[in-house]
Amino acid sequence: ILFSTYIFFFNLEDNQVRSSSSNVNTNIDNKIIDLKYNASDEEGNSYLIKSNSGKVSNEDKDILILENVIGRIKIKNSEEIIISSDFAKYNKVTLDTYFYDNVKLKYDSHLIDSDILFMNYIDKSINIENNVIYKGRNNKLSADMVEIDLVTKLSKIYMLDKENKVKLELKKNGSN
């Protein structure tokens, strides 16, 4: 039984989480203050999520409802991605995180604002939706949906209503 338990909990597949830890300073009336979770996998990727406060969901004990959230994703051989939002639902088991309200994603010189961002850590993918505004060095883009593969860096940007078009503004910088 001990061997089976060890294999099930500690011998995870390559793409699964290798370690996860939390730092909780205070827990009063189901409210957690200064929450911090850190996870990494065998490929060298890591995910850190911090929150000023949060609480355990009434519907699912594995879900934490967080306030004033910052997530830091480090994919091997890539720049750090920083996600911030007013609120998030964080799954302690899968590390899936649903950021909402005033969501901002920063990567290198790229900034994306939206209402909703869903990050799937195991698949290394991000879906951003509702009022998506992308700002780059020389452009600004408005869309309904952005899908990002964190490993390949491939992104899909599109509108949900086929009648509407993605809006793009290019700034003149002397080279365009």
Side-chain angles (χ1 to χ4, degrees):
I1 292 173
L2 287 174
F3 180 75
S4 297
T5 303
Y6 174 80
I7 293 297
F8 182 77
F9 286 106
F10 297 107
N11 191 14
L12 300 173
E13 294 179 24
D14 288 346
N15 66 344
Q16 290 184 334
V17 176
R18 181 180 61 197
S19 67
S20 179
S21 63
S22 66
N23 178 18
V24 178
N25 289 343
T26 308
N27 187 347
I28 303 169
D29 296 330
N30 194 27
K31 189 159 187 163
I32 304 166
I33 307 299
D34 292 333
L35 176 123
K36 178 180 173 183
Y37 273 90
N38 191 15
S40 62
D41 62 25
E42 292 177 359
E43 296 164 356
N45 304 310
S46 64
Y47 178 44
L48 170 70
I49 188 164
K50 296 191 291 187
S51 172
N52 289 347
S53 64
K55 64 180 183 174
V56 177
S57 169
N58 293 332
E59 291 85 35
D60 185 346
K61 64 179 174 60
D62 292 332
I63 304 291
L64 298 175
I65 311 296
L66 308 176
E67 295 180 29
N68 298 319
V69 185
I70 295 179
R72 296 181 179 273
I73 305 165
K74 181 67 177 143
I75 302 296
K76 188 175 179 180
N77 301 322
S78 182
E79 296 287 325
E80 182 177 56
I81 298 168
I82 301 170
I83 303 168
S84 64
S85 68
D86 292 344
F87 300 98
K89 291 182 181 179
Y90 173 72
N91 186 312
K92 299 183 294 185
V93 177
T94 65
L95 307 183
D96 290 347
T97 309
Y98 176 79
F99 296 88
Y100 57 100
D101 290 353
N102 195 27
V103 178
K104 297 185 183 311
L105 180 143
K106 294 179 186 176
Y107 172 77
D108 195 23
S109 63
H110 308 280
L111 175 64
I112 300 175
D113 293 328
S114 71
D115 294 337
I116 298 170
L117 183 148
F118 177 74
M119 197 259 322
N120 183 318
Y121 183 77
I122 299 298
D123 291 344
K124 307 294 185 278
S125 66
I126 292 178
N127 290 337
I128 306 166
E129 57 187 276
N130 291 357
N131 301 316
V132 178
I133 306 290
Y134 164 83
K135 295 175 187 169
R137 288 184 182 110
N138 297 314
N139 52 37
K140 181 179 176 182
L141 183 135
S142 299
D144 286 340
M145 187 75 149
V146 176
E147 297 175 357
I148 303 171
D149 183 316
L150 297 174
V151 177
T152 65
K153 311 294 184 291
L154 292 176
S155 299
K156 295 179 188 176
I157 302 169
Y158 56 92
M159 301 296 284
L160 297 173
D161 181 359
K162 301 298 181 194
E163 299 296 317
N164 292 326
K165 304 286 184 195
V166 173
K167 295 176 185 168
L168 176 65
E169 295 176 28
L170 292 175
K171 299 176 187 172
K172 292 187 178 184
N173 64 359
S175 64
N176 57 355

